[in-house]
Amino acid sequence: MSSIEWTERTWNAFVGCSIVSPGCKNCYAMRMAARCAAFGQEQYIGTTQKVNGHTVWNGRINRAPDHKFREPLSVRRPTVWFVNSMSDLFHENAPPEWVREVIEIMCRTPHHTYQVLTKRPVEAEQFFRSNTDIVWPDNAWIGVSVEDTKRLFRIDVLRRLPGRIKFVSAEPLLGPLGSIDLSGIDWVIGGGESGPGARPCEPEWVRNLRDECLRQGAAFFMKQWGKPANNPLASQCPADAKLADFIKTMDPHGKGGALLDGRLWREYPADANLPVR
Ligand code: SF4
């Protein structure tokens, strides 16, 4: 099982990445990869390096061992998989043959649901242009991360990509997205950043995102506030209480809670066809 609220399991056919925009600054996968490498997990070795005392991805992409690369083929139970949580399927250094293999596995397993999230829709578009025989299966959702207004162009590119269900992950949300165009978008994930060095996320930014989803008919999923100070309930914390404990009691969802104006928003796309548990 994955600890990510909007998926069930992660599937990492290959690992490794590089920082592409401000949303990557505190990349959880980058820290995790360095830890896995330190514990001797071979596929992570050589994917990160130290720069000024900080661990960063170095752009090297490692293929997972075969049983991991083909993992969904051996799972009969219909499962929702987040694809390449430790990489980006459309990373510029990912060999196109590997990407083709991943897509082929998704095609061969229609009983599963796949969630492909990228920060590289331009590279994705290029991949599809160069591989015109590829059929992107209906059971594979495709989405882009958008952390600020500068990254809104990714949604325009996403609209041109193949895919029955398209989604936007605005997490970590680093600023207001304003009047975001959600035409053709089925699902939006929102949330604040968590972990060491987490940046602020204002309730108004999330409210605006939810309201745009309601107005334009996209499903809205509030993942987390990230750090307790981002949670709107923080203003109600008694002076003698510890904020983290107060939020945990008042809003025990995700990291830093997830309630927005008293409601837990955990919607999925209308025709998601998710496995019934
Ligand atoms: S694209 Fe994703 S995996 Fe790669 S550095 Fe950015 S946040 Fe991390």
Side-chain angles (χ1 to χ4, degrees):
M1 290 299 286
S2 167
S3 60
I4 301 167
E5 286 81 355
W6 45 262
T7 197
E8 207 175 350
R9 288 181 68 172
T10 53
W11 167 36
N12 284 290
F14 49 87
V15 303
C17 201
S18 43
I19 284 177
V20 68
S21 60
C24 301
K25 184 178 175 217
N26 295 316
C27 175
Y28 165 84
M30 188 162 66
R31 285 197 289 248
M32 180 60 92
R35 223 172 300 151
C36 292
F39 280 108
Q41 284 191 41
E42 211 166 315
Q43 75 202 76
Y44 293 99
I45 292 174
T47 58
T48 61
Q49 64 189 51
K50 284 265 186 201
V51 175
N52 299 330
H54 297 284
T55 296
V56 287
W57 292 120
N58 59 15
R60 176 167 153 180
I61 308 287
N62 285 348
R63 187 182 166 103
D66 255 21
H67 71 282
K68 282 277 169 202
F69 195 104
R70 301 174 196 287
E71 192 174 10
L73 292 174
S74 60
V75 177
R76 283 213 175 146
R77 179 177 177 267
T79 301
V80 183
W81 300 89
F82 174 23
V83 181
N84 276 10
S85 64
M86 301 294 287
S87 184
D88 187 324
L89 187 67
F90 299 106
H91 191 281
E92 50 279 20
N93 296 341
E97 319 80 79
W98 296 2
V99 181
R100 290 182 69 99
E101 268 184 81
V102 167
I103 297 171
E104 194 197 321
I105 290 170
M106 297 195 296
C107 287
R108 284 173 57 191
T109 49
H111 59 296
H112 293 319
T113 300
Y114 296 96
Q115 296 161 320
V116 174
L117 178 61
T118 184
K119 282 189 172 71
R120 295 169 171 85
V122 173
E123 286 78 357
E125 191 171 35
Q126 188 54 49
F127 171 83
F128 288 112
R129 263 202 213 116
S130 312
N131 295 270
T132 49
D133 59 318
I134 286 278
V135 176
W136 186 263
D138 280 352
N139 58 324
W141 307 359
I142 189 159
V144 292
S145 300
V146 173
E147 64 267 42
D148 55 23
T149 49
K150 261 189 150 177
R151 267 28 79 167
L152 284 172
F153 75 93
R154 290 178 182 160
I155 305 178
D156 295 326
V157 185
L158 174 65
R159 275 187 268 271
R160 299 198 294 265
L161 299 181
R164 186 178 67 91
I165 291 188
K166 295 189 174 160
F167 67 102
V168 169
S169 171
E171 190 250 335
L173 189 56
L174 300 179
L177 294 182
S179 50
I180 179 174
D181 175 7
L182 294 174
S183 54
I185 303 303
D186 302 284
W187 190 40
V188 175
I189 300 162
E193 192 167 49
S194 60
R199 290 161 283 182
C201 177
E202 294 291 333
E204 266 322 300
W205 306 344
V206 179
R207 268 190 204 111
N208 170 68
L209 193 59
R210 176 209 51 196
D211 292 347
E212 287 297 334
C213 287
L214 288 172
R215 196 172 67 77
Q216 300 181 58
F220 180 62
F221 191 107
M222 176 57 182
K223 182 174 181 275
Q224 59 180 29
W225 283 104
K227 52 181 184 175
N230 291 339
N231 194 312
L233 294 170
S235 60
Q236 296 173 26
C237 181
D240 58 349
K242 213 175 141 206
L243 181 60
D245 295 339
F246 173 76
I247 294 295
K248 234 178 235 163
T249 311
M250 300 291 287
D251 183 1
H253 314 280
K255 293 191 179 95
L259 291 176
L260 177 60
D261 300 330
R263 178 176 162 184
L264 188 62
W265 293 82
R266 291 284 165 88
E267 297 177 340
Y268 282 93
D271 57 348
N273 291 338
L274 287 172
V276 179
R277 297 280 176 248

